Amino acid sequence: MIKVVPDTSIIIDQQVSRLIVDEFLEKDDEIQVLIPEAVPSEIENHANKKKEIGYLGIDELKNIRKLSEDGIIDLLYVGRRPTLEEISIANGGEIDAMIRDIARKYHATLLTSDRLQKDVAEAQGVETYYYQKPKEYTPIKKTELEGYFTENVSSVHLRENTTPIAKRGVPGSVELIEIDYVPLRYNDLDRIAKEIMEQTKIRHDCFVEIDKKGVSVIQFDDLRITIAKPPFADGFEITAIKPVNKLDLEDYDVSDKLLKRLSNDAKGILIAGSPGAGKSTFAQALAEYYYYDMEQIVKTMESPRDLNLDDNITQYAPLDGRMENTADILLLVRPDFTIFDEVRKTSDFEIYSDMRLAGVGMIGVVHATRAIDAVQRLLGRLELGIIPSVVDTTIYIENGQIASVYSIELTVKVPTGMLEADLSRPVIEIKDFEHDTLLYEIYTYGEQTIVMDINKANTQNATDEDVQKSPVEKIVERTVRKEVLKVAPKAILEVSLLSDRRALVEIDPDHAGVIIGKNGKTIAAIEEKAGISIEVEELEIKNIDSRIPINVNVSGNYLSLNFNKEDIGSSFDIIVEDEYLFTATVGKKANIRLKKDIEMAEIILKAMKKDEPVYARLRNEEAY
């Protein structure tokens, strides 16, 4: 009788049933298969995590059971079931040790396709049969999923109980088409997914990027395939994306001026655009330009690795699941340029910044709906002063072409819209690179970071009654209001700009003395924080049509609009950002209360977050 003990590795490789039929039966017609309870426990753990190897192992266990039912083998499950802790540290060798112990106890041959398990078993005197996976690559046939990719198809979308669809075309000209009129069922997607996973094991151009509960991401030659299942998705879904175009830099409308900057000056580049705009295609073209034309060493950091690059450019994935570790290795490799595809989270921006400040040329790919948004994504993640040292050029891609290029520089100046020299400060200037036109300024004012659209700052649109406030005036007024309310939270006040050096604060009589303070110390502190001289006057309501700013605070689940005692019983119109919101009567506690979850309260809360004042206008015949 031949006694064999298969371990987890050879069952996952689905070789036990084949070896029994093709090899062991030729030697002896009595075969006993002893499966340690640790094996199905480990396989079940993989399956519970929605890993494909778990399902492959279960299928092989079924094949072995079928051989037993047909009377070909004697099948026994032996040993104890491992604890959850033992399963969780299976990578440390605990489960393998339990399997070896059972093979030794029953004087059986250990079947394994794990080289380390074989070596340890032989060292312990356990008879071992080692199945070595074939090194030669078997002929590769086109998979069912690849068959959906006809000419100019950029992505295929398969979902259970729906017809297969695809996107066809190139960036800027894409249409959604139905591939087949017959809906796919769960079994259809399961068959396609299994074929992909099996091919991934034997093909050198395929690898699993991500394998987590409910989702797997596979780089399959030039396809990026995402397989999603419940509980991650609400149904079985397979999405495959393929680069349609591989372009050279000369295929883009690159001016001589831009080409010179890319060749000589640009060391911190952000390539921005909306999903599907062609960012990665341009990044690939730029990478190969630096490698072949500029003779620079280029590497990439990607998750997943889906840039369609020449073999001379090495593509790195997150090391141990962390891009920080990849960055550490890249600093040892010392490339001239690194493509970071794509920069999304705060940690990504920090890695990009660290590598750029270490002297590595960086090209980051970011999602953005406008060119300026790419720069704004740096705010709050990096200190304002170092942004121009990290990013000097932003290239915005739209419909597969270069739509705009921004240059980023740091200078010390008086921001646009302000006149006095003592208001000068560090300012990041963002210019249209091709025309050297100033488009945006970024600077701090008080505690705020301001992104100023120069076109809006320079445009004053007059109305029939008055001239609208400029963006600079609005910023200054909001800053002064915020600082005053820190000292007097319940104050009712109006703020207006007299000049770019002086602001007027009109405040209710009860709080005028509070914000001035003893010997003017409080107002002096407010002036220093706001960066402007402030005059204080008592607020007067002249007539029934005048609107007054009111204090608003949040208490629990309610919003409280606070008035004076003499306003009790009076009706007021509530006005937010020059728009009428509602009319209400002041209650016995001199306030109007709103629940936070109603729409009117949400509008007021949004205005408060923007430091916009809330106004009340007397509705009835009584004077304020």
Side-chain angles (χ1 to χ4, degrees), residues 427-554:
V427 175
I428 296 176
E429 290 188 332
I430 300 175
K431 297 181 179 180
D432 181 318
F433 173 73
E434 297 291 351
H435 303 96
D436 200 31
T437 305
L438 182 62
L439 300 177
Y440 297 91
E441 289 179 345
I442 303 177
Y443 53 90
T444 57
Y445 189 90
E447 296 179 356
Q448 298 184 73
T449 298
I450 308 301
V451 180
M452 179 61 65
D453 186 331
I454 301 303
N455 291 329
K456 290 183 179 180
N458 291 333
T459 303
Q460 298 286 334
N461 295 319
T463 64
D464 292 337
E465 298 179 358
D466 202 352
V467 176
Q468 291 184 351
K469 294 177 182 177
S470 71
V472 173
E473 288 179 304
K474 291 179 179 179
I475 291 166
V476 174
E477 290 177 8
R478 282 202 299 266
T479 303
V480 172
R481 171 179 290 277
K482 185 176 180 180
E483 294 301 330
V484 171
L485 288 175
K486 285 181 181 179
V487 177
K490 296 185 178 181
I492 298 172
L493 70 150
E494 276 275 22
V495 180
S496 57
L497 200 62
L498 300 176
S499 71
D500 61 302
R501 292 196 64 184
R502 293 168 58 236
L504 173 64
V505 173
E506 297 177 275
I507 191 165
D508 63 278
D510 293 339
H511 294 92
V514 175
I515 70 162
I516 293 173
K518 188 176 181 180
N519 298 323
K521 289 183 178 179
T522 304
I523 194 65
I526 294 172
E527 288 175 333
E528 184 177 352
K529 289 181 180 179
I532 195 168
S533 177
I534 298 173
E535 293 185 15
V536 179
E537 294 182 3
E538 290 189 0
L539 181 66
E540 294 183 4
I541 305 303
K542 297 179 180 179
N543 56 57
I544 193 171
D545 294 324
S546 297
R547 61 183 188 177
I548 60 169
I550 57 173
N551 173 261
V552 182
N553 57 38
V554 180

Side-chain angles (χ1 to χ4, degrees), residues 388-402:
S389 300
V390 174
V391 178
D392 53 51
T393 307
T394 299
I395 300 173
Y396 186 71
I397 305 296
E398 189 172 21
N399 296 329
Q401 294 297 323
I402 299 173

